[in-house]
Amino acid sequence: MCAISARRCGHQFLIGAAGSGSQPGRWQDRRTGLVPIRRLGVEHRGQVTRHLLALPDRDRYLRFGHMASDDQIRRYTDSLHFDLDTIFGIFNRNKKSIAVDVKTPQGQELVLRLVAGADVFSENFKSGTMDKLGFGYEALSKLNPGLIYVSHKGFLPGPYDHRTALDEVVQMMGGLAYMTGPEGRPLRAGSSVNDIMGGMFGAIGALAALAQRHQTGKGQEVQSALFENNVMLVAQHMMQFAVTGKAAAPMPSRISAWAVYDVFTVKDNAQIFLAAVSDTQWHVMCDAFGFADLKADARLTSNNARVKAREWMLPILRERFAQLSAQELSAKFEAAGLPYAPITQPQELFEDAHLLATGGLTPVTIPADASSAGQPVHTHTPLLPLRMNGERLPLRHAPPSIGQDTEALLQELGYSPAQIQSLVQDGVVNAVTPLQA
């Protein structure tokens, strides 16, 4: 796969590159069974879409705008002391980078040459921006009728589509923040769930459109939006109200459907999540810990009865479990086949036994211009949570530096060395040598 993403004014604009992606007989990846497609692309949700579509072969990353510094995701760290720019390191693997200033006629021509051979084009600019640049769906579909054009927006077309949307904005207005925090304290989820899942829906839409193109030979526009994605996340709570007439309470104050399903503070003030979600599991837990009195208590004979008894039952369990360490509880719950989980901080996952044993983490180098460290960072990163044909999908290319592959990609497009040098000297493209990268 080839994909190209472009950025302007801190936004990234993804163009998927290769128009013949649906032709039979093209090389097929033995792991995924997929043929290569070529894409061009965007940041945040667009980064996720490109990342997911970059499975079989490779992705090209096109950036345009102020080529040396106008890269918002890469620059967040300096002002926030917070590696928000590591989003770039996660979702821009397996891509190539070409930096182009599309304010110039030569830059626009270059991008259009890429689009002419593209399968998927993805962007998340504000509505109307792409049309002004000459890269709207109507214009590009005339150039390449088979193009799949993926737009990532805050809202699908309607009364809200003029608003500026962020992950936190739609979590607040879409009910997710209300459900996540305690009553009266709406709280965003602990990950950029809408940015990530919005990109996933964009990728799903692109794959569906590619499948349709096999039948029709025609491309189409696909739209994905943060707000509608968030609504899907809280749909279960909407349906609860529709069916029962009772509004769902925020998760911290909800009445659990299971009697033992909670976080317990145990020896040395450690915390662990423990659960017994059926009558069988309740009996197993009581036997494992010698809670014969609780097992025999007539008030605790069923899960529903235990839910009603949580007010007095849970303090008893908390007192008894507090005598044991998290490690002891983990070992007993593991041996008994009961659900449990340590309370883990994200950085601790670098040492997770399962991830290390299954190859779920892979070495990667984050380039200096995408790191607050000001130098390349050698670390590990999670692979996509998939196995295809019995294999994990590998990391093929580390996230690129800006313009890292400009010269090579221009050569593929047929530009001569003299033409490339002229484009660099005129500020149309930024070419970074391997040593600089």
Side-chain angles (χ1 to χ4, degrees):
M1 289 185 171
C2 300
I4 299 175
S5 69
R7 295 184 175 178
R8 183 173 180 278
C9 301
H11 296 289
Q12 189 182 348
F13 157 64
L14 178 66
I15 310 166
S20 57
S22 63
Q23 291 179 359
R26 295 181 70 192
W27 172 83
Q28 190 174 47
D29 186 275
R30 68 179 182 83
R31 297 181 306 275
T32 64
L34 300 175
V35 297
I37 64 171
R38 297 178 185 167
R39 299 166 316 288
L40 306 174
V42 200
E43 78 180 5
H44 289 316
R45 284 147 292 161
Q47 290 186 80
V48 178
T49 298
R50 292 196 315 282
H51 181 51
L52 297 177
L53 291 177
L55 300 182
D57 182 30
R58 59 177 178 164
D59 206 21
R60 293 179 183 166
Y61 171 74
L62 164 66
R63 177 189 182 279
F64 62 82
H66 296 289
M67 296 175 292
S69 62
D70 188 21
D71 197 331
Q72 186 173 345
I73 288 293
R74 297 179 192 253
R75 292 188 292 106
Y76 275 138
T77 303
D78 296 336
S79 60
L80 299 181
H81 306 289
F82 170 70
D83 269 341
L84 187 57
D85 61 358
T86 54
I87 294 174
F88 178 89
I90 290 291
F91 295 118
N92 286 282
R93 301 173 286 181
N94 299 333
K95 297 177 175 66
K96 303 285 185 175
S97 173
I98 175 172
V100 182
D101 186 349
V102 297
K103 293 180 180 180
T104 65
Q106 302 99 312
Q108 293 173 353
E109 177 188 357
L110 192 160
V111 172
L112 292 176
R113 289 176 66 173
L114 290 165
V115 171
D119 287 307
V120 180
F121 178 105
S122 172
E123 59 85 18
N124 74 326
F125 283 74
K126 287 185 177 181
S127 297
T129 301
M130 300 304 290
D131 291 319
K132 293 177 182 177
L133 291 170
F135 300 140
Y137 173 66
E138 295 299 326
L140 297 190
S141 63
K142 290 177 182 177
L143 174 65
N144 180 352
L147 184 68
I148 309 302
Y149 190 107
V150 183
S151 291
H152 302 272
K153 303 301 181 186
F155 307 89
L156 293 180
Y160 297 161
D161 64 8
H162 66 284
R163 298 185 185 180
T164 298
L166 301 168
D167 202 315
E168 198 148 342
V169 168
V170 298
Q171 287 194 39
M172 295 293 172
M173 67 183 293
L176 184 59
Y178 172 82
M179 290 302 302
T180 302
E183 296 220 25
R185 290 177 55 199
L187 184 68
R188 69 157 285 162
S191 180
S192 300
V193 290
N194 288 297
D195 283 332
I196 293 171
M197 290 193 65
M200 292 173 64
F201 279 113
I204 293 168
L207 292 173
L210 287 167
Q212 288 188 1
R213 193 178 69 177
H214 277 287
Q215 305 299 321
T216 67
K218 297 180 179 179
Q220 61 179 285
E221 184 177 12
V222 175
Q223 293 182 317
S224 172
L226 288 178
F227 177 65
E228 281 77 6
N229 177 83
N230 190 94
V231 171
M232 178 63 70
L233 292 175
V234 300
Q236 66 188 91
H237 306 304
M238 297 169 62
M239 193 56 62
Q240 174 182 323
F241 179 79
V243 172
T244 68
K246 296 181 180 179
M251 299 300 280
S253 58
R254 75 194 188 284
I255 299 176
S256 174
W258 298 288
V260 183
Y261 197 76
D262 217 327
V263 174
F264 292 81
T265 299
V266 296
K267 192 174 181 180
D268 298 325
N269 286 320
Q271 289 186 306
I272 186 170
F273 174 82
L274 304 173
V277 299
S278 67
D279 292 340
T280 298
Q281 289 185 0
W282 169 256
H283 294 151
V284 169
M285 187 190 75
C286 288
D287 290 340
F289 289 92
F291 297 162
D293 56 331
L294 297 179
K295 183 178 180 181
D297 195 317
R299 298 169 295 174
L300 304 175
T301 55
S302 69
N303 179 70
N304 287 346
R306 290 190 294 275
V307 169
K308 295 177 181 177
R310 277 171 60 92
E311 185 175 351
W312 62 266
M313 179 194 69
L314 280 181
I316 294 175
L317 291 176
R318 293 189 189 283
E319 181 180 359
R320 297 183 182 185
F321 286 145
Q323 309 307 311
L324 302 172
S325 69
Q327 291 77 14
E328 290 171 314
L329 287 163
S330 295
K332 285 202 171 188
F333 268 68
E334 177 93 21
L338 294 170
Y340 76 97
I343 309 303
T344 302
Q345 295 183 28
Q347 69 273 12
E348 295 172 334
L349 294 173
F350 283 117
E351 305 299 329
D352 183 85
H354 179 81
L355 293 175
L356 295 175
T358 60
L361 300 174
T362 190
V364 67
T365 298
I366 307 300
D369 61 5
S371 165
S372 59
Q375 61 185 7
V377 174
H378 306 287
T379 183
H380 287 75
T381 188
L383 292 175
L384 281 176
L386 296 171
R387 277 170 60 92
M388 300 187 72
N389 289 328
E391 297 182 29
R392 294 298 292 267
L393 303 173
L395 174 76
R396 296 179 308 282
H397 303 289
S401 294
I402 299 173
Q404 176 177 309
D405 306 288
T406 295
E407 185 173 350
L409 296 176
L410 289 178
Q411 289 175 348
E412 288 186 23
L413 286 175
Y415 287 85
S416 69
Q419 289 174 317
I420 295 172
Q421 185 63 29
S422 177
L423 291 173
V424 172
Q425 290 176 346
D426 293 342
V428 177
V429 300
N430 182 23
V432 178
T433 67
L435 181 61
Q436 290 173 308

